[in-house]
Amino acid sequence: MSSTSLKKDYAERIAPALMKKFNYSSTMQVPRLLKIVINEGLGEATGDKKVIETAINELTAITGQKAVATLSRKDISNFKVRKKMPIGVRVTLRRDRMYEFMERFIRIALPRIRDFKGIESKLDGRGNYTVGITEQIIFPEINIDSISKLMGMNITFVTSAATDEEGYALLKEFGLPFKNAK
């Protein structure tokens, strides 16, 4: 399946199903996926600058889009952090790349997690959902032999849904395997 298949699936199956379920009067009210933000916090980057480069390369390989370093906003002496020091890496995916990543995440990456029983069904109160991944090796783009350190990441699915119920219904229709169905 290509990235357009998930997009087409949204237009042909998911949007009409949500329209019927929530009794929307206009198709513009149907919630949709706006963007996917992948974020990796790297506290150990304060001591070793190569960690940031490695993380940027890995995240770029996973998403197919160039990752950028996130910089600290202020000095924190306890953590040996100076202002504008790189402390993480992130990528924001939209449009076709977003659907392509979501498809690979649901169909390929999640099933590779050991003892996988589904993901938590807790949304943020505004219809957005964040899932934490503990190891980047679940993505087939990462060569297990070439990694020096296991790094986790947060993947946030930002929707246009007004409520958690609508956001949950949208993500469930896309195929995210939630643990306990609402």
Side-chain angles (χ1 to χ4, degrees), residues 91-130:
V91 172
T92 302
L93 302 171
R94 298 184 203 297
R95 299 180 197 85
D96 287 344
R97 280 208 178 112
M98 168 184 72
Y99 288 112
E100 191 178 300
F101 174 80
M102 187 171 196
E103 185 136 2
R104 281 186 291 128
F105 180 67
I106 294 168
R107 296 200 188 349
I108 300 166
L110 284 178
R112 291 178 68 162
I113 296 175
R114 217 174 302 123
D115 302 328
F116 185 67
K117 296 192 174 45
I119 53 180
E120 289 296 324
S121 56
K122 184 98 176 79
L123 278 76
D124 71 349
R126 295 187 185 92
N128 304 319
Y129 179 70
T130 301

Coordinates of all heavy atoms in Angstrom, one line a residue, residues 91-130:
V91 N 11.1 16.1 14.2 CA 10.6 16.2 12.8 C 9.1 16.4 12.9 O 8.4 15.8 13.7 CB 10.9 14.9 12.1 CG1 10.3 14.9 10.7 CG2 12.4 14.6 11.9
T92 N 8.6 17.3 12.0 CA 7.2 17.5 11.9 C 6.8 17.0 10.5 O 7.3 17.5 9.5 CB 6.8 19.0 12.1 OG1 7.2 19.4 13.4 CG2 5.3 19.1 12.0
L93 N 5.9 16.0 10.4 CA 5.5 15.5 9.1 C 4.1 16.0 8.8 O 3.2 15.9 9.7 CB 5.5 13.9 9.2 CG 6.8 13.3 9.5 CD1 6.6 11.8 9.8 CD2 7.8 13.5 8.4
R94 N 3.8 16.3 7.6 CA 2.5 16.7 7.1 C 2.2 16.1 5.8 O 3.1 15.6 5.1 CB 2.5 18.3 7.0 CG 2.7 19.1 8.2 CD 2.5 20.6 7.9 NE 3.1 21.5 8.8 CZ 2.9 21.7 10.1 NH1 2.1 21.0 10.7 NH2 3.6 22.6 10.8
R95 N 1.0 16.1 5.4 CA 0.5 15.6 4.1 C 1.0 14.2 3.8 O 0.8 13.3 4.6 CB 0.9 16.6 3.0 CG 0.3 18.0 3.1 CD 0.8 18.9 2.0 NE 0.5 20.3 2.4 CZ 1.4 21.0 3.1 NH1 2.5 20.6 3.5 NH2 1.0 22.3 3.4
D96 N 1.5 13.9 2.6 CA 1.8 12.6 2.2 C 2.8 11.9 3.1 O 2.7 10.7 3.4 CB 2.3 12.6 0.7 CG 1.2 12.8 -0.3 OD1 0.0 12.7 0.1 OD2 1.5 13.1 -1.5
R97 N 3.9 12.6 3.5 CA 4.9 12.0 4.4 C 4.3 11.5 5.7 O 4.7 10.5 6.3 CB 6.0 12.9 4.6 CG 7.0 13.0 3.5 CD 8.4 13.3 4.0 NE 9.3 13.3 2.9 CZ 9.9 14.4 2.4 NH1 9.7 15.6 2.9 NH2 10.8 14.3 1.4
M98 N 3.3 12.3 6.2 CA 2.6 12.0 7.4 C 1.8 10.7 7.3 O 2.0 9.8 8.1 CB 1.6 13.2 7.7 CG 0.7 12.9 8.8 SD -0.5 14.3 9.1 CE -1.5 14.1 7.6
Y99 N 1.1 10.5 6.2 CA 0.3 9.3 6.0 C 1.2 8.1 5.7 O 1.0 7.0 6.2 CB -0.6 9.5 4.8 CG -1.8 10.4 5.1 CD1 -2.0 11.6 4.5 CD2 -2.8 10.0 6.0 CE1 -3.0 12.4 4.7 CE2 -3.9 10.8 6.3 CZ -4.0 12.0 5.6 OH -5.0 12.9 5.9
E100 N 2.3 8.4 5.0 CA 3.3 7.3 4.7 C 3.9 6.8 6.1 O 4.0 5.6 6.3 CB 4.4 7.9 3.8 CG 5.3 6.8 3.2 CD 6.3 7.5 2.3 OE1 5.9 8.2 1.3 OE2 7.5 7.4 2.6
F101 N 4.3 7.7 6.9 CA 4.9 7.4 8.2 C 3.9 6.6 9.1 O 4.2 5.6 9.7 CB 5.4 8.6 9.0 CG 5.9 8.3 10.3 CD1 7.2 7.8 10.5 CD2 5.1 8.5 11.4 CE1 7.6 7.4 11.8 CE2 5.5 8.2 12.7 CZ 6.8 7.6 12.9
M102 N 2.7 7.1 9.1 CA 1.6 6.5 9.9 C 1.4 5.1 9.5 O 1.3 4.2 10.3 CB 0.4 7.3 9.9 CG -0.7 6.8 10.8 SD -2.1 7.9 10.9 CE -2.9 7.4 12.3
E103 N 1.4 4.9 8.2 CA 1.1 3.5 7.7 C 2.3 2.6 8.1 O 2.1 1.5 8.6 CB 1.0 3.6 6.2 CG 0.7 2.2 5.6 CD -0.3 2.3 4.5 OE1 -0.8 3.4 4.2 OE2 -0.7 1.3 4.0
R104 N 3.5 3.0 7.9 CA 4.7 2.2 8.3 C 4.7 2.0 9.8 O 5.0 0.9 10.3 CB 6.0 2.9 7.9 CG 6.3 2.7 6.4 CD 7.6 3.2 6.0 NE 7.7 4.6 6.1 CZ 8.6 5.4 6.7 NH1 9.6 4.8 7.3 NH2 8.5 6.7 6.7
F105 N 4.3 3.0 10.6 CA 4.3 2.9 12.1 C 3.3 1.8 12.5 O 3.6 1.0 13.3 CB 3.9 4.3 12.7 CG 3.9 4.3 14.2 CD1 5.0 4.1 14.9 CD2 2.7 4.5 14.9 CE1 5.0 4.1 16.3 CE2 2.6 4.5 16.2 CZ 3.8 4.3 17.0
I106 N 2.1 1.9 11.9 CA 1.0 0.9 12.3 C 1.3 -0.5 11.8 O 1.1 -1.4 12.6 CB -0.4 1.4 11.9 CG1 -0.7 2.7 12.6 CG2 -1.4 0.4 12.1 CD1 -1.9 3.5 12.0
R107 N 1.6 -0.6 10.6 CA 1.7 -1.9 9.9 C 3.1 -2.6 10.2 O 3.1 -3.8 10.2 CB 1.5 -1.8 8.4 CG 0.1 -1.3 8.1 CD -0.3 -1.7 6.7 NE -1.5 -1.2 6.1 CZ -2.5 -0.7 6.6 NH1 -2.6 -0.4 7.8 NH2 -3.6 -0.3 5.9
I108 N 4.2 -1.9 10.3 CA 5.5 -2.5 10.4 C 6.1 -2.3 11.8 O 6.6 -3.3 12.4 CB 6.4 -1.9 9.3 CG1 5.9 -2.2 7.9 CG2 7.8 -2.5 9.4 CD1 6.5 -1.4 6.8
A109 N 6.2 -1.1 12.3 CA 7.0 -0.8 13.5 C 6.3 -1.3 14.8 O 6.9 -2.0 15.6 CB 7.2 0.7 13.7
L110 N 5.0 -1.0 15.0 CA 4.3 -1.5 16.2 C 4.3 -3.0 16.4 O 4.6 -3.5 17.5 CB 2.9 -0.9 16.3 CG 2.8 0.5 16.7 CD1 1.4 1.0 16.7 CD2 3.4 0.8 18.0
P111 N 4.1 -3.8 15.3 CA 4.1 -5.2 15.5 C 5.5 -5.8 15.8 O 5.6 -6.9 16.4 CB 3.7 -5.8 14.1 CG 2.9 -4.7 13.5 CD 3.5 -3.4 14.0
R112 N 6.6 -5.0 15.6 CA 7.9 -5.5 16.0 C 8.3 -5.3 17.4 O 9.3 -5.7 17.9 CB 8.9 -4.7 15.1 CG 8.9 -5.1 13.7 CD 9.8 -4.3 12.8 NE 11.2 -4.7 13.2 CZ 12.2 -4.4 12.4 NH1 12.1 -3.8 11.2 NH2 13.5 -4.8 12.7
I113 N 7.4 -4.6 18.2 CA 7.6 -4.4 19.6 C 7.4 -5.7 20.4 O 6.4 -6.4 20.2 CB 6.7 -3.3 20.2 CG1 7.0 -2.0 19.6 CG2 6.9 -3.2 21.8 CD1 6.0 -0.9 20.0
R114 N 8.4 -6.1 21.2 CA 8.3 -7.3 22.0 C 7.2 -7.3 22.9 O 6.9 -6.3 23.6 CB 9.6 -7.5 22.7 CG 10.1 -9.0 22.8 CD 11.5 -9.1 23.5 NE 12.5 -8.4 22.8 CZ 13.2 -7.4 23.3 NH1 13.1 -7.1 24.6 NH2 14.2 -6.8 22.6
D115 N 6.4 -8.4 23.0 CA 5.2 -8.5 24.0 C 4.3 -7.4 23.8 O 3.8 -6.8 24.8 CB 5.7 -8.6 25.4 CG 6.6 -9.7 25.7 OD1 6.5 -10.8 25.0 OD2 7.5 -9.6 26.6
F116 N 3.9 -7.0 22.6 CA 3.0 -5.9 22.3 C 1.6 -6.2 22.5 O 1.1 -7.2 22.0 CB 3.2 -5.4 20.8 CG 2.4 -4.2 20.5 CD1 2.8 -3.0 21.1 CD2 1.4 -4.3 19.6 CE1 2.0 -1.8 20.8 CE2 0.7 -3.1 19.3 CZ 1.0 -1.9 19.9
K117 N 0.9 -5.4 23.4 CA -0.5 -5.7 23.7 C -1.4 -4.5 23.4 O -2.5 -4.4 23.9 CB -0.6 -6.1 25.2 CG 0.2 -7.3 25.5 CD -0.2 -7.8 26.9 CE 0.4 -9.1 27.3 NZ 1.7 -9.4 27.0
G118 N -0.9 -3.6 22.6 CA -1.6 -2.4 22.3 C -1.1 -1.2 22.9 O -0.2 -1.3 23.8
I119 N -1.5 0.0 22.5 CA -1.0 1.3 23.1 C -2.1 1.9 24.0 O -3.3 1.6 23.8 CB -0.6 2.2 22.0 CG1 -1.7 2.5 20.9 CG2 0.7 1.8 21.3 CD1 -1.4 3.4 19.8
E120 N -1.7 2.6 24.9 CA -2.6 3.3 25.9 C -3.6 4.2 25.1 O -3.3 4.7 24.1 CB -1.8 4.1 26.9 CG -1.1 3.4 27.9 CD -1.9 2.5 28.8 OE1 -3.0 2.9 29.2 OE2 -1.5 1.4 29.1
S121 N -4.8 4.3 25.6 CA -5.8 5.1 25.0 C -6.1 6.4 25.7 O -7.2 6.9 25.8 CB -7.1 4.3 24.8 OG -7.5 3.9 26.1
K122 N -5.0 7.1 26.2 CA -5.2 8.3 26.9 C -4.8 9.5 26.0 O -3.6 9.6 25.5 CB -4.3 8.3 28.1 CG -4.4 9.5 29.0 CD -5.3 9.3 30.2 CE -5.3 10.4 31.1 NZ -6.2 11.5 30.7
L123 N -5.8 10.3 25.6 CA -5.5 11.5 24.8 C -5.3 12.7 25.7 O -5.5 12.6 26.9 CB -6.7 11.7 23.8 CG -6.6 10.8 22.5 CD1 -7.0 9.4 22.8 CD2 -7.4 11.4 21.4
D124 N -4.9 13.8 25.1 CA -4.5 15.0 25.9 C -5.6 16.0 26.3 O -5.3 17.0 26.9 CB -3.4 15.8 25.2 CG -3.9 16.5 23.9 OD1 -5.0 16.3 23.5 OD2 -3.1 17.3 23.4
G125 N -6.8 15.7 25.9 CA -7.9 16.6 26.3 C -8.3 17.5 25.1 O -9.4 18.1 25.2
R126 N -7.5 17.5 24.1 CA -7.9 18.3 22.9 C -7.9 17.5 21.6 O -7.9 18.0 20.5 CB -6.8 19.4 22.7 CG -6.8 20.4 23.8 CD -5.9 21.6 23.4 NE -5.8 22.5 24.5 CZ -4.8 22.5 25.5 NH1 -3.9 21.5 25.5 NH2 -4.8 23.4 26.4
G127 N -8.0 16.1 21.8 CA -8.1 15.2 20.7 C -6.8 14.8 20.1 O -6.7 14.2 19.0
N128 N -5.6 15.2 20.7 CA -4.3 14.8 20.2 C -3.8 13.6 21.0 O -4.2 13.4 22.2 CB -3.3 15.9 20.3 CG -3.8 17.2 19.6 OD1 -4.4 17.1 18.6 ND2 -3.7 18.3 20.3
Y129 N -2.9 12.8 20.4 CA -2.4 11.6 21.1 C -0.9 11.5 21.0 O -0.4 11.7 19.9 CB -3.1 10.4 20.5 CG -2.6 9.1 21.1 CD1 -3.0 8.8 22.4 CD2 -1.8 8.2 20.4 CE1 -2.5 7.6 23.0 CE2 -1.3 7.0 21.0 CZ -1.7 6.8 22.3 OH -1.2 5.6 22.9
T130 N -0.3 11.2 22.1 CA 1.2 11.0 22.1 C 1.5 9.6 22.6 O 1.0 9.2 23.6 CB 1.9 12.0 23.0 OG1 1.6 13.3 22.5 CG2 3.4 11.9 23.0

